[in-house]
Amino acid sequence: MKVVKFELDKLMLLDQTKLPLVLEYVECKDYLTVCDAIRTMKVRGAPAIGVAAAYGVVLASKEYENLEINNFKENLLKACDELNQTRPTAVNLFWAIERMKKIINKHTEVSEVIQELEKEAIFIETDDLEMNRKMGRHGSALIPNNARILTHCNAGSLATAGYGTALGVIRASSQQGKVSMVYVDETRPLLQGARLTAYELMEDNIPITLICDNMAAYCMQLKLIDCIIVGADRIAANGDVANKIGTYGLAVLAKAHNIPFYVAAPVSTFDFSLESGKEIPIEERAADEIRKIGDVYIAPPTANVFNPAFDLTPNELITAIITDKGVIKPNYTQNIQKVLGNGN
Ligand SMILES: CSC[C@H]1O[C@H](OP(=O)(O)O)[C@H](O)[C@@H]1O
C-alpha cells in the first residue's frame, strides 16, 4: 500500500491513525493540511515524513504561483519553515525541506521553481524506495537461516516510500527463506507495532507473533530471539541512534542476552552536524496518548504523564547500522564517514 500518492494538484496521504481496520486517504490540497497530517501522525515514520513534507512544498508552490517572484519565494520559504516545525526528531523532514529550499533559492522564474520542486519531490520519493531495497539486500546478509527476529514500532512501507528500512531487511531475508518468525512489539502508546507492522507483515505472509513491549525481555531469556532490528529517526555522526521510545531498553536487553542489535536507516536519517546523540531533540507528545487508547480513558483523566516519543540508544549498544550504501560497524565515527562521506 502506498503511504503517499501525489496527483497533480493534490496529495493523498494514507491515514495511518485508522489502520489496520480502516484503509482511508486524507486529501491534502494545501501545505497546512500536510502539516496537520504530520503533527497528528496520519503520516508518520522518518522517511515518509520527509516525502510528505517535500510534496507539501510543491502544494504551497502551486498555491502561490500567481505571485511575483519575490513574494512567491517569501511565502514558499514560510511554508517550508512551518513544515519544519511539525515534528522535531526525524531528521529526514529537515533534510527534505533543505533540498526544497535550495531549489527555491536557486531559480528565478516562478514556473521554473514549481517544475523543479515537483521533480525533486518525486526524486526524494523514488530514491527512498530504491535505498530501502538496497538496504534490504545489505542487511539480509546479516540475518541467519531460520531467524527469529524482534522488531519495534513500524519501520516498514508505512514509514517510508515503500518496502521499509528494518522491515525491508526482514522482507529481503524472508524472500531468501531465512525468516522463521518476526516478534512484533506492540509499541505503546500509539501501537505502531500492533496496528502497522503486524498488518504489513501479515499482508506479505511473513509469520509474526505480536507481543506487549514488556514481554521482550522474557522472550530473550527464553532464547526465542536470534536478532533485533529497528529503524531510526536520527543518527548522529558517532552512531548514536534516536528511535521510537523503547528502543534503548531493547538495546540494553540485547547486550545482556548477547543478541545482535541492528539499526536500518538510509543516508537521509544521518545528521552529520551532530557529533553525538546528546543534541538530538526528543519529541514529547500529548498526555492523552498515554491516558487513552483510542477514545477510551485507561487512566485517570488528570493523571500526570511523561510522553517522550523517542529515546536515545548509545552507539556502543549497536552491533551494526545497515544503510543503503552498506553495513557499518564500529568504530562508527570513523566508519560512518568512510561509508557515507558527509552524506552529500
Ligand atoms: C523508517 S524509520 C521509522 C521510525 O519512525 C517511527 O516513529 P513515528 O511512528 O513516531 O514517526 C519509529 O521511530 C520508527 O522506527
Side-chain angles (χ1 to χ4, degrees):
M1 68 227 74
K2 275 185 71 70
V3 166
V4 173
K5 292 194 288 191
F6 185 63
E7 297 162 1
L8 287 181
D9 61 347
K10 65 186 177 204
L11 176 67
M12 304 299 286
L13 295 175
L14 180 59
D15 183 348
Q16 298 192 34
T17 62
K18 297 193 173 169
L19 288 175
L21 302 181
V22 174
L23 209 61
E24 194 175 278
Y25 282 82
V26 173
E27 181 180 275
C28 305
K29 289 203 158 185
D30 56 60
Y31 81 92
L32 288 173
T33 310
V34 179
C35 288
D36 178 70
I38 295 171
R39 266 194 291 268
T40 57
M41 295 178 67
K42 292 185 177 69
V43 60
R44 36 63 55 195
I49 291 170
V51 171
Y55 280 121
V57 178
V58 175
L59 291 176
S61 72
K62 297 187 175 187
E63 283 174 63
Y64 302 131
E65 65 181 337
N66 297 319
L67 296 175
E68 64 80 33
I69 186 69
N70 294 322
N71 264 347
F72 169 76
K73 286 194 175 187
E74 186 183 339
N75 280 280
L76 210 38
L77 291 170
K78 179 173 169 291
C80 288
D81 291 343
E82 289 182 61
L83 283 159
N84 265 341
Q85 289 163 35
T86 51
R87 292 186 74 189
T89 305
V91 72
N92 314 61
L93 168 62
F94 312 107
W95 172 85
I97 292 294
E98 201 48 43
R99 291 173 72 110
M100 304 305 266
K101 287 169 86 167
K102 281 194 178 118
I103 289 171
I104 295 165
N105 291 322
K106 175 182 176 185
H107 297 280
T108 56
E109 296 292 327
V110 168
S111 57
E112 206 177 4
V113 173
I114 293 173
Q115 186 181 12
E116 291 305 313
L117 285 175
E118 192 164 327
K119 277 162 63 177
E120 181 66 17
I122 292 168
F123 170 78
I124 290 172
E125 179 183 7
T126 51
D127 191 45
D128 182 60
L129 177 56
E130 193 181 316
M131 288 194 287
N132 294 341
R133 290 190 183 282
K134 288 177 185 170
M135 221 179 307
R137 285 195 294 276
H138 293 310
S140 59
L142 299 172
I143 305 299
N145 288 328
N146 303 314
R148 299 159 304 165
I149 306 168
L150 173 70
T151 191
H152 190 70
C153 196
N154 173 261
S157 294
L158 291 167
T160 67
Y163 202 67
T165 57
L167 297 197
V169 174
I170 289 174
R171 285 190 163 99
S173 305
S174 176
Q175 282 152 8
Q176 296 165 28
K178 296 206 285 185
V179 177
S180 69
M181 182 55 70
V182 180
Y183 286 83
V184 177
D185 271 356
E186 65 174 355
T187 315
R188 283 271 300 154
L190 295 180
L191 305 174
Q192 288 93 325
R195 295 188 303 106
L196 307 178
T197 295
Y199 172 69
E200 265 199 59
L201 294 181
M202 289 175 71
E203 285 285 295
D204 284 5
N205 297 315
I206 295 173
I208 65 118
T209 299
L210 179 60
I211 60 172
C212 297
D213 302 327
N214 55 12
M215 298 171 187
Y218 187 48
C219 289
M220 292 184 221
Q221 194 178 48
L222 292 177
K223 300 196 182 312
L224 296 177
I225 310 295
D226 299 307
C227 62
I228 298 172
I229 185 160
V230 298
D233 289 81
R234 194 180 306 209
I235 302 175
N238 72 340
D240 290 347
V241 167
N243 194 51
K244 183 52 53 193
I245 188 75
T247 302
Y248 170 55
L250 285 179
V252 172
L253 286 163
K255 197 83 175 177
H257 291 275
N258 197 26
I259 294 171
F261 185 86
Y262 300 124
V263 174
V267 65
S268 54
T269 303
F270 287 76
D271 185 342
F272 298 92
S273 71
L274 299 182
E275 280 181 22
S276 83
K278 284 196 295 289
E279 305 105 282
I280 298 177
I282 299 294
E283 178 184 15
E284 287 193 34
R285 294 186 61 86
D288 269 1
E289 287 184 356
I290 292 184
R291 295 190 193 120
K292 300 169 90 170
I293 290 185
D295 295 328
V296 179
Y297 275 105
I298 51 151
T302 57
N304 281 335
V305 163
F306 176 45
N307 183 15
F310 302 99
D311 57 24
L312 187 71
T313 299
N315 61 63
E316 59 266 23
L317 295 178
I318 298 167
T319 310
I321 301 175
I322 300 158
T323 77
D324 50 295
K325 299 276 193 302
V327 175
I328 302 174
K329 292 187 175 175
N331 169 304
Y332 287 119
T333 301
Q334 171 189 302
N335 292 335
I336 286 172
Q337 179 73 32
K338 193 190 298 182
V339 174
L340 302 182
N342 60 9
N344 288 333

